[in-house]
């Protein structure tokens, strides 16, 4: 740890760990520090943006951060997922749908992106497509928590 104190990767990993330990304020401080040192680190921009979106925290700022990340790395499916999820939360459904569909083209087996796409389809009344995407998400790389959430939606809506 002492040898890596000036290593941005170390701080990025520390921020992720703090976030996973429910120490969001500390994590966010580190992420903002990293952005101040290197405003062109697309992965830090994405992590902060997505974390803010998950918490419904300053979605306009989160959108600006992810747009900057996408200017740096245009064809990143994970970044497009973040943008789409923020657009969804801002109720810009048409743009959210386009962003998520493009994200799926780039990351076709990512469970979280498929789940997000299913949520958008469900919101706009395309229930069959939502159920289809949620079922695809279960086959992908979902962790136990995501699988539980998806199964709950399927149990509730796939009647």
């Amino acid at each position: 740890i002492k040898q890596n104190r000036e290593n941005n990767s170390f701080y990025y990993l520390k921020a992720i760990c703090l976030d996973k330990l429910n120490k969001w304020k500390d994590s966010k401080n580190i992420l903002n520090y990293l952005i101040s040192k290197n405003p062109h680190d697309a992965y830090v921009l994405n992590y902060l943006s997505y974390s803010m979106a998950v918490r419904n925290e300053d979605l306009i700022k989160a959108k600006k951060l992810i747009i900057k990340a996408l200017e740096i790395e245009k064809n990143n499916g994970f970044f497009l997922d973040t943008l789409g999820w923020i657009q969804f939360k801002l109720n810009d459904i048409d743009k959210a749908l386009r962003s998520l569909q493009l994200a799926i083209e780039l990351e076709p087996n990512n469970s979280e992106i498929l789940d997000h796409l299913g949520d958008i389809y469900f919101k706009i009344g395309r229930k069959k497509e939502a159920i289809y995407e949620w079922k695809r998400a279960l086959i992908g790389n979902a962790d136990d928590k995501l699988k539980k959430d998806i199964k709950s939606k399927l149990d509730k809506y796939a009647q």
Side-chain angles (χ1 to χ4, degrees), residues 43 69-80 102-103 105-107:
Y43 288 88
L70 280 161
E71 289 169 358
I72 297 163
E73 201 170 311
K74 291 179 192 141
N75 292 317
N76 186 308
F78 301 105
F79 296 1
L80 285 163
L102 183 53
E105 285 181 32
L106 296 167
E107 297 293 336

Side-chain angles (χ1 to χ4, degrees), residues 39-40 45 63-73:
H40 302 290
L45 291 164
K63 185 177 176 185
K64 288 178 185 175
L65 292 169
I66 196 56
I67 287 170
K68 189 171 184 179
L70 280 161
E71 289 169 358
I72 297 163
E73 201 170 311

Side-chain angles (χ1 to χ4, degrees), residues 1 5 18 22 24 39 46 55 118 134 136-137 140 145:
I1 292 172
R5 287 201 176 169
L18 288 167
N22 294 318
W24 169 236
N46 177 65
R55 292 168 174 83
W134 290 330
R136 280 182 59 200
K145 182 187 179 313

Side-chain angles (χ1 to χ4, degrees), residues 80-94:
L80 285 163
D81 173 57
T82 298
L83 176 61
W85 198 237
I86 292 168
Q87 291 165 327
F88 175 69
K89 288 184 170 241
L90 290 170
N91 211 29
D92 193 349
I93 303 301
D94 290 337

